[in-house]
Amino acid sequence: MAVMVHFRLRVPPIPLFNVAQSQAILRREVGTAMHGIVEDIAGEARQRTPVGVSGILRASIGTRVSIGRDAATFVMGEVFTGAQAPYAIYVEFGSRPHWPPRAPIELWAQRVLGDSSLWYVIARAIARRGTRGRHMFRDALEHVRPTIEPRMVAAVARVTQLLGGG
């Protein structure tokens, strides 16, 4: 599961005395801003992620910033969960009614409720109602969203200043 941060940014005219140097500075500054954005989203998502039995889902949340090859993907940011938490999508969006595997439910019942024998009651409830989504990634992105454009605009302003355009 991954949350991608996409937005359009209008870059003001920047003096391009040395195109390669200008692009490198732009990528560095925008990349630095993107790194801060995805780290903020990941931090919010971690706080909103239920710990569950093991804490694996919360611990598996990571970030990646990569440089694109064209103007549409100049710098990309990702917040994702690792392969060790393939159930992340069901925690994010919820699940339809299904019979869950016994072992994790039994362990959860023991650790959270103090009685592993309650696993069947919990499993039966999931089989009847499914599970509700926690929407930790969606809500984390919405929490951070108001800061994204101002951070990117500030990054471009730094580039303009560094290149002598402002």
Side-chain angles (χ1 to χ4, degrees), residues 95-100 120-131:
S95 67
R96 292 165 50 163
H98 66 285
W99 194 262
Y120 184 81
V121 175
I122 296 161
R124 190 176 60 206
I126 293 170
R128 289 182 178 163
R129 295 190 297 265
T131 61

Side-chain angles (χ1 to χ4, degrees), residues 50-58 87 102-113 122:
V51 175
V53 173
S54 64
I56 290 172
L57 177 57
R58 182 180 283 183
Y87 54 89
R102 178 178 177 166
I105 301 299
E106 195 170 31
L107 186 56
W108 185 89
Q110 179 61 45
R111 288 191 180 165
V112 175
L113 304 175
I122 296 161

Side-chain angles (χ1 to χ4, degrees), residues 43-50 58 134-136 139-140 143:
E44 281 293 322
R46 286 182 194 105
Q47 288 179 5
R48 297 164 188 272
T49 299
R58 182 180 283 183
R134 298 299 294 262
H135 305 289
M136 59 274 187
D139 295 347
H143 181 80

Side-chain angles (χ1 to χ4, degrees), residues 73-120:
T73 58
F74 192 68
V75 175
M76 298 183 310
E78 261 184 292
V79 179
F80 58 89
T81 57
Q84 66 271 40
Y87 54 89
I89 195 165
Y90 303 111
V91 178
E92 176 72 12
F93 297 109
S95 67
R96 292 165 50 163
H98 66 285
W99 194 262
R102 178 178 177 166
I105 301 299
E106 195 170 31
L107 186 56
W108 185 89
Q110 179 61 45
R111 288 191 180 165
V112 175
L113 304 175
D115 185 355
S116 63
S117 69
L118 294 174
W119 78 269
Y120 184 81

